[in-house]
Amino acid sequence: MKSVVCAAPGRLELAERSRPGAPAPGRATVEIRHVGICGTDYHIYEGKHPFLDYPRVIGHELSGIVSAVGPGVTLGIGTPVVVNPYISCGQCVACRQGKPNCCTRIQVLGVHADGGMCECIEVPAGNLYPAGRLSLRDAAMVEFLAIGAHAVRRSQPRPGARALVTGIGPIGLGTAIFARIAGLDVSLIDASSERLAFAHERLGFGSTFPAGPSAHEEVMRATAGDGFDVVFDATGNAEAIGAGFGLVAHGGTYVLVSVVKNEIVFSDPEFHKREMSLIGSRNATRVDFEHVVASIEAGLIPTDALATHTTTLERVIEDLPLWAHAKSGLIKAIVALP
């Protein structure tokens, strides 16, 4: 079968790999139909991912059709599914507490193990969720949206509270959308005027701020100096994460959606006087995936606006390197398989 392999940093190949055999007990085979391209895929191509061995079949934002099931699997053949790419061990301290998204031995498809930018993949059946009434294109967007949905749920949102999302790439936009669905009063800040215009004109967010030297004063002035009840960071930038502490209101919450390799340094007196809650948010769980599916079905997610680019398995080895650098107009690129 055809598979897109990142053979080494800067080198993508369309390779032939063996199709999976008959699925083992508790597992299922999925014919892949759409694959979303994520920032992780760009980082793998650029050689910036810290947890990856080459060569690797990339791709973890997946939808498809169940084509075979192993013993003990009740999911029907022919079922359209969303693939949860976070393969957990089921036994560690996190898994025992119902948090497989932060399993101590997690294997993420396309990162720790070969992913789904290929014609067919075998995965644990428990990682497959029925796509319901979603198109398979929209089903391939569920995973990245679930990350934002999980972050919002982690914040324990209070309807009417003021929220700020810093960094509005796809993850930040998903976070903003689900913060709005939760009833929060959402503002956005980003260095890209194009992204801010997109969020305002296409997604209907009214309060936006350009990042820059005067951003802190402008954002705080908009809240009469109070700051925001909850701040979500999706910048992937250590300096921006540090600056975000000063935007949280007294008694507020700071949710770190993005992750950086750097150490994050903040003022302990400022942190304590606010009695601030600092929360990490990693990946997503089944309840978040299901919330996204239900929200798309209810017409609450503008998927047509988010899906800006499309390609094929054959063309992606040329398109992905281009999109890694030329991001103007790009929100979510999706690989479509026949």
Side-chain angles (χ1 to χ4, degrees):
M1 66 175 178
K2 295 176 182 177
S3 304
V4 175
V5 179
C6 191
R11 195 167 95 237
L12 289 179
E13 298 176 351
L14 185 63
E16 283 291 331
R17 292 284 184 98
S18 298
R19 286 180 62 91
R27 298 177 68 88
T29 303
V30 177
E31 305 297 321
I32 298 297
R33 289 293 177 263
H34 290 82
V35 185
I37 300 176
C38 170
T40 297
D41 302 312
Y42 297 123
H43 289 158
I44 292 169
Y45 171 74
E46 294 170 324
K48 297 178 181 179
H49 201 288
F51 306 122
L52 186 123
D53 293 324
Y54 298 89
R56 176 67 70 221
V57 177
I58 61 174
H60 64 272
E61 299 180 3
L62 312 172
S63 71
I65 305 290
V66 176
S67 60
V69 298
V73 176
T74 59
L75 199 60
I77 292 174
T79 302
V81 291
V82 175
V83 180
N84 178 340
Y86 320 127
I87 311 301
S88 58
C89 73
Q91 300 173 344
C92 73
V93 60
C95 289
R96 294 197 306 269
Q97 295 181 46
K99 296 183 177 182
N101 57 302
C102 56
C103 169
T104 63
R105 296 190 288 274
I106 197 166
Q107 294 283 296
V108 180
L109 297 178
V111 179
H112 307 96
D114 281 343
M117 201 172 288
C118 58
E119 295 179 304
C120 180
I121 191 170
E122 182 193 326
V123 295
N127 284 71
L128 301 177
Y129 311 145
R133 299 193 303 274
L134 270 59
S135 71
L136 286 169
R137 184 208 68 174
D138 287 359
M141 290 194 281
V142 170
E143 187 272 342
F144 94 84
L145 291 167
I147 292 174
H150 182 72
V152 172
R153 184 164 64 89
R154 290 276 289 150
S155 76
Q156 299 183 7
R158 176 172 50 84
R162 288 186 295 203
L164 177 69
V165 178
T166 64
I168 55 168
I171 298 299
L173 288 173
T175 302
I177 289 168
F178 279 93
R180 182 167 62 187
I181 289 172
L184 301 180
D185 180 9
V186 182
S187 297
L188 311 175
I189 184 169
D190 195 89
S192 168
S193 58
E194 181 183 86
R195 283 276 170 91
L196 291 173
F198 174 86
H200 175 66
E201 297 166 7
R202 299 294 306 277
L203 305 183
F205 288 99
S207 179
T208 62
F209 301 92
S214 63
H216 181 91
E217 290 74 17
E218 292 178 15
V219 169
M220 292 300 288
R221 188 162 50 245
T223 64
D226 288 340
F228 289 84
D229 301 303
V230 57
V231 175
F232 299 94
D233 174 84
T235 63
N237 179 281
E239 184 178 351
I241 293 173
F245 282 86
L247 300 174
V248 181
H250 282 240
T253 299
Y254 194 14
V255 183
L256 302 186
V257 191
S258 65
V259 60
V260 296
K261 295 170 65 176
N262 318 63
E263 292 185 355
I264 304 300
V265 179
F266 59 91
S267 166
D268 188 60
E270 290 295 322
F271 177 77
H272 268 83
K273 79 179 186 182
R274 285 168 166 79
E275 197 179 52
M276 186 192 305
S277 297
L278 179 61
I279 296 174
S281 182
R282 186 182 185 193
N283 299 329
T285 65
R286 181 170 190 139
V287 67
D288 305 306
F289 279 76
E290 291 175 343
H291 180 33
V292 174
V293 171
S295 297
I296 297 175
E297 288 181 334
L300 301 177
I301 312 294
T303 52
D304 286 342
L306 296 173
T308 55
H309 292 58
T310 187
T311 187
T312 64
L313 276 184
E314 291 78 11
R315 297 202 326 257
V316 74
I317 59 174
E318 298 177 358
D319 289 338
L320 190 151
L322 174 65
W323 294 332
H325 303 287
K327 288 188 165 62
S328 180
L330 174 66
I331 301 297
K332 178 56 60 177
I334 298 177
V335 182
L337 283 76

